[in-house]
Amino acid sequence: MRLLASENPSIRLADPRWYKFEDIENNGWSLKNSATPELLEEWTRTAAGELDCCLREFYNASDILEKGDWTPEFLSLETALEFLQTRKILEVNSGIISLQDAMNSIKKYAESQGADELTAILTVQSWLVESALNIKLNSFLPLYPEEILTAVENDAGKIFAAMSNVQAVLKNLRLEKIIPVAESTSAAGLFGDLKIVYHGSELDIKNASGVNYPSESILTGAAAFEFLAMLRAAETLSADTASTWLDFSYKNYSHGKILIAGNDFGFRNSEAIADSLRERLSRYRRQILDSPPESTKYVSNGNTIDAEEFLNLVQREEKFFQSVMDEFEVEEMRYLETHSTNF
């Protein structure tokens, strides 16, 4: 809270590392001439067992010459949502689960723990920040009603009291009994191994009910296939070059994050989604195989390999990918035979 209220220029860097001056001295580190200290609370326990608080000067790591730049370690959306699923805080039944679902579940959990509205909103915000997701936080941070903002403005102590309660709620959440998430498949058994992590789009991608798919969502089974179909429909209707970001995995093939820009996915030129996936996901492997680079050394998984071994590796990966897409194509035909679609 003191950092949030501070005008220290280091705050803008979002580097979470702060050190006492004595720690800097003991380690033989040097401070930059522009280093600006921040007074932060240090809590200790006295010999009598009582807690004692005093303000000490701390310096951000960005002000220490010997400290390198801070690189955040992001958590995947799947890991963050699984944390809630294994504690039975978040349920998924329709093949789609979103970050917004998770935030709603956190708020309900806080309320079940006796939290008032301020504490419940702060709990959601704290969980979201602590989850360290690689997302645009401003798009998801909850809003505070005007009456709460007015109450806090009149009595800032309400924030500190609420934050104390937030820590208790989050501690209870971490201590909830863990029950492994059961493997699920679509109701018809089709596309049980298909998973899409949808990060967001500049397009309006609507489901069969006409509702936009929420960004930062995980779709599995038939719901994931239907999303791809709706993405194709949105691409076909769009006249611009809007971008869409998603992760794709099917069977034992995982492609990671993909940027689809405008007609990049080829949906307008392919009748089958399998064909669109073949074109987009194998594009860079085909470029390498059709025009092998001139370099003689490459790095793969941290190991240096020669050109011939590298090309053989690309060929094996491309052969495996095509065999996986053969299975996808079969499932697509079976799905279309048994489902009436509007896409």
Side-chain angles (χ1 to χ4, degrees):
M1 296 301 298
R2 290 183 177 276
L3 290 176
L4 289 174
S6 170
E7 296 182 359
N8 192 311
S10 298
I11 304 300
R12 294 194 298 271
L13 301 175
D15 190 327
R17 300 171 298 172
W18 293 83
Y19 299 91
K20 290 185 297 184
F21 184 74
E22 63 184 82
D23 294 330
I24 296 172
E25 277 193 321
N26 293 339
N27 285 284
W29 296 333
S30 306
L31 287 170
K32 298 178 181 177
N33 293 333
S34 59
T36 304
E38 186 66 36
L39 289 175
L40 301 177
E41 297 174 9
E42 183 178 49
W43 290 80
T44 56
R45 194 173 293 277
T46 67
E50 297 178 349
L51 286 174
D52 183 48
C53 176
C54 62
L55 292 177
R56 294 189 184 279
E57 288 188 346
F58 280 74
Y59 289 86
N60 190 263
S62 61
D63 283 331
I64 301 174
L65 294 174
E66 289 78 7
K67 287 291 181 181
D69 293 337
W70 177 68
T71 302
E73 294 183 6
F74 293 116
L75 196 67
S76 72
L77 178 63
E78 293 173 85
T79 302
L81 298 189
E82 187 176 298
F83 172 87
L84 300 177
Q85 287 180 276
T86 57
R87 289 161 174 79
K88 296 301 178 183
I89 305 300
L90 179 62
E91 300 286 345
V92 55
N93 299 310
S94 61
I96 175 172
I97 188 171
S98 70
L99 179 58
Q100 188 60 55
D101 293 332
M103 293 169 60
N104 294 339
S105 297
I106 290 287
K107 191 171 187 290
K108 289 181 180 179
Y109 179 80
E111 291 169 345
S112 73
Q113 299 284 306
D116 59 15
E117 189 171 10
L118 173 59
T119 300
I121 296 176
L122 277 171
T123 301
V124 174
Q125 182 171 316
S126 297
W127 177 84
L128 186 61
V129 173
E130 290 179 9
S131 293
L133 295 168
N134 187 13
I135 61 172
K136 294 181 179 179
L137 277 179
N138 289 343
S139 302
F140 290 94
L141 289 175
L143 299 178
Y144 294 88
E146 188 64 33
E147 56 269 23
I148 287 183
L149 296 177
T150 301
V152 169
E153 184 177 4
N154 294 331
D155 182 6
K158 290 182 179 294
I159 281 281
F160 291 92
M163 281 304 299
S164 178
N165 294 331
V166 165
Q167 295 308 314
V169 172
L170 292 178
K171 180 179 179 180
N172 289 339
L173 176 59
R174 298 185 191 99
L175 294 176
E176 288 286 344
K177 183 178 179 181
I178 297 176
I179 302 175
V181 179
E183 294 292 331
S184 62
T185 58
S186 58
L190 293 174
F191 295 111
D193 297 311
L194 175 62
K195 179 168 62 180
I196 300 291
V197 181
Y198 170 53
H199 297 291
S201 177
E202 295 170 346
L203 292 170
D204 287 331
I205 307 174
K206 301 181 182 295
N207 60 22
S209 301
V211 178
N212 280 347
Y213 284 98
S215 58
E216 299 302 339
S217 298
I218 300 175
L219 304 99
T220 55
F225 175 78
E226 290 165 6
F227 169 82
L228 291 174
M230 291 304 186
L231 172 58
R232 176 173 65 179
E235 287 281 0
T236 301
L237 293 173
S238 175
D240 57 23
T241 57
S243 298
T244 300
W245 296 265
L246 57 86
D247 293 8
F248 174 89
S249 61
Y250 177 68
K251 302 291 184 181
N252 293 323
Y253 178 84
S254 179
H255 195 89
K257 184 171 286 189
I258 311 163
L259 168 63
I260 302 167
N263 196 26
D264 190 32
F265 214 14
F267 277 173
R268 301 177 190 177
N269 303 319
S270 301
E271 292 187 4
I273 291 177
D275 292 338
S276 299
L277 292 172
R278 289 182 196 274
E279 190 281 327
R280 177 60 182 87
L281 302 185
S282 67
R283 177 181 304 163
Y284 298 116
R285 286 190 296 269
R286 294 308 317 169
Q287 288 178 355
I288 292 172
L289 295 174
D290 293 342
S291 302
E294 297 179 358
S295 301
T296 57
K297 295 293 182 181
Y298 304 89
V299 176
S300 176
N301 296 325
N303 299 317
T304 302
I305 58 178
D306 59 31
E308 183 177 358
E309 185 178 355
F310 175 73
L311 292 176
N312 287 336
L313 176 62
V314 174
Q315 286 177 333
R316 290 195 299 270
E317 289 182 349
E318 177 63 8
K319 183 177 180 180
F320 170 69
F321 167 73
Q322 293 298 339
S323 68
V324 168
M325 293 314 301
D326 288 342
E327 297 182 61
F328 185 99
E329 188 172 7
V330 171
E331 289 205 88
E332 180 176 2
M333 290 188 292
R334 288 175 56 199
Y335 180 91
L336 295 177
E337 288 172 357
T338 56
H339 292 72
S340 58
T341 64
N342 296 319
F343 38 76

